[in-house]
Amino acid sequence: MTVKSRLLELLEQHKGETLSGEALAGELHCTRAAVWKAVKSLREEGYAIEAGPNKGYMLPRDSNRLSVEAIRLYLKRPDVYLKLYKETGSTNQMAKQAAISGEAGHGAFVIAQQQTAGRGRRGRSFYSPEDAGLYLSVVLEPKGETLQESLLLTTAAATAVYKAVKKVCRISLDIKWVNDLYFHGQKVCGILTEAVTDFESGNIEFAVVGIGLNLYPVSGGYPEALQGIAGALYPDQASASGTDRNYLTAEIVNCLLEETSHLRLSPEYVEHNIIPGKEIEIMDGSRNCHARALDICPDGRLRVEEEDGTISVLSFGEVSVSVKQ
């Protein structure tokens, strides 16, 4: 670990406290000049490190810049592969590449401050503006799971985001089958799960769970196509200032690893799902139809009653609450 990285870790650990240059130099086993050089470099990267004559250095308590060092402080498995990009095309793509190369194993993840080619389900793009949300992808290695069971990875991810947001932000979200989370009727989180399987056994070698969570709208609002559809946890940056993004990121990963340690349909996923009992429209690529959502099966599939009375079970597809209600 470099002097700069270790310095940032110490400042994050003692956020709001002033640490003398002499004490930092002793802790880091370097000169005070090296400490100053590291501080200067961190400031150039955007960290608001305060300093004063004979006072030392301090990272303000309201500092909320994403960093690998700060995220690791809150991880239950801090030794995992973790990469933070200022900008990347897709965190899912970067996570897959790291997993294929052998760099990233179970629990590893990639996070970006901005995505230029973020992806959602059915080939859609996912709007990922700079520093307005959390965009991360987690590598999972489920033991002996098959593609038929992969739906539970998505339900587990939705539950993990629900739990993390409730714990860190004290906000209770609604879950929409199969992979979206809503707040005040607007979508604030999307999840994309992609699996790489063994061709012979059909077992999942690894999966990448991509999570995009909107914290607050960017200035100027959302693109026209998303207006009235997309929302955020907070109305603006000022309202979100009390939420530590590093803590929230780590807690999402912690909850995801816990939820996927024994794959099952969690009670929270069922209890807070807004689809069962509603008249819905189903779009599965080959057809669009109306049905009534009955309940969610233990394997994560959605049981519905179609307009002609036929009972069917959905493993995939997109559903929306029907405007006929």
Side-chain angles (χ1 to χ4, degrees):
M1 187 179 285
T2 64
V3 169
K4 182 174 75 172
S5 180
R6 179 68 179 129
L7 172 64
L8 181 55
E9 182 180 62
L10 287 171
L11 291 173
E12 288 282 1
Q13 285 176 329
H14 299 276
K15 210 184 265 189
E17 301 176 29
T18 299
L19 304 177
S20 72
E22 183 178 357
L24 286 169
E27 181 70 26
L28 300 173
H29 305 291
C30 66
T31 64
R32 293 182 66 174
V35 171
W36 164 243
K37 183 178 178 181
V39 168
K40 183 173 181 292
S41 179
L42 288 170
R43 283 174 171 167
E44 290 171 353
E45 292 178 16
Y47 292 94
I49 299 173
E50 299 177 0
N54 302 315
K55 285 186 177 181
Y57 306 101
M58 180 184 73
L59 193 63
R61 286 194 182 279
D62 60 358
S63 174
N64 206 10
R65 190 171 182 83
L66 286 172
S67 72
V68 169
E69 292 80 7
I71 293 170
R72 286 197 192 279
L73 293 177
Y74 302 105
L75 287 174
K76 291 182 178 178
R77 294 182 55 184
D79 57 337
V80 297
Y81 173 95
L82 166 54
K83 189 82 172 179
L84 169 63
Y85 293 93
K86 179 176 175 56
E87 178 184 299
T88 191
S90 161
T91 57
N92 261 32
Q93 190 61 34
M94 300 308 293
K96 279 194 287 186
Q97 290 177 6
I100 291 170
S101 71
E103 287 183 280
H106 184 68
F109 64 103
V110 170
I111 185 167
Q113 295 176 359
Q114 177 181 10
Q115 290 184 119
T116 57
R119 294 182 298 120
R121 297 181 71 211
R122 303 179 67 164
R124 294 194 182 100
S125 62
F126 187 89
Y127 184 55
S128 316
E130 184 177 6
D131 280 337
L134 298 180
Y135 318 116
L136 65 149
S137 296
V138 186
V139 177
L140 300 174
E141 295 177 348
K143 304 297 183 184
E145 302 295 337
T146 65
L147 275 178
Q148 286 72 24
E149 297 159 307
S150 63
L151 187 60
L152 288 176
L153 290 175
T154 301
T155 65
T159 304
V161 174
Y162 171 86
K163 286 185 172 181
V165 169
K166 188 170 184 179
K167 179 178 179 178
V168 178
C169 309
R170 303 182 187 279
I171 292 173
S172 184
L173 301 179
D174 294 319
I175 302 173
K176 174 176 165 286
W177 188 91
V178 60
N179 65 336
D180 296 328
L181 291 102
Y182 279 64
F183 186 48
H184 294 325
Q186 294 182 313
K187 179 178 173 179
V188 297
C189 180
I191 296 166
L192 177 65
T193 303
E194 299 181 293
V196 173
T197 62
D198 182 280
F199 182 77
E200 293 184 355
S201 68
N203 289 345
I204 298 174
E205 291 189 352
F206 70 85
V208 172
V209 177
I211 298 168
L213 176 63
N214 300 334
L215 296 182
Y216 43 81
V218 291
S219 57
Y222 291 104
E224 185 176 351
L226 297 178
Q227 289 180 12
I229 299 171
L233 297 185
Y234 301 98
D236 49 47
Q237 288 193 44
S239 301
S241 62
T243 298
D244 188 325
R245 294 193 299 165
N246 294 292
Y247 179 29
L248 179 56
T249 300
E251 197 56 30
I252 289 173
V253 176
N254 290 338
C255 289
L256 179 58
L257 294 179
E258 182 179 345
E259 288 296 313
T260 56
S261 60
H262 300 286
L263 273 183
R264 61 183 178 86
L265 186 68
S266 72
E268 288 88 354
Y269 185 86
V270 176
E271 180 182 353
H272 299 285
N273 210 291
I274 60 175
I275 294 301
K278 300 287 178 57
E279 299 294 329
I280 60 172
E281 183 177 359
I282 304 167
M283 295 151 280
D284 65 5
S286 61
R287 61 170 186 155
N288 284 22
C289 67
H290 291 276
R292 181 170 181 79
L294 299 177
D295 52 38
I296 300 172
C297 303
D299 61 3
R301 294 184 299 167
L302 180 66
R303 194 167 67 96
V304 303
E305 181 181 1
E306 300 186 33
E307 289 182 301
D308 63 1
T310 301
I311 304 296
S312 58
V313 180
L314 304 180
S315 299
F316 60 90
E318 187 170 331
V319 302
S320 61
V321 177
S322 176
V323 295
K324 296 193 300 181
Q325 296 192 109

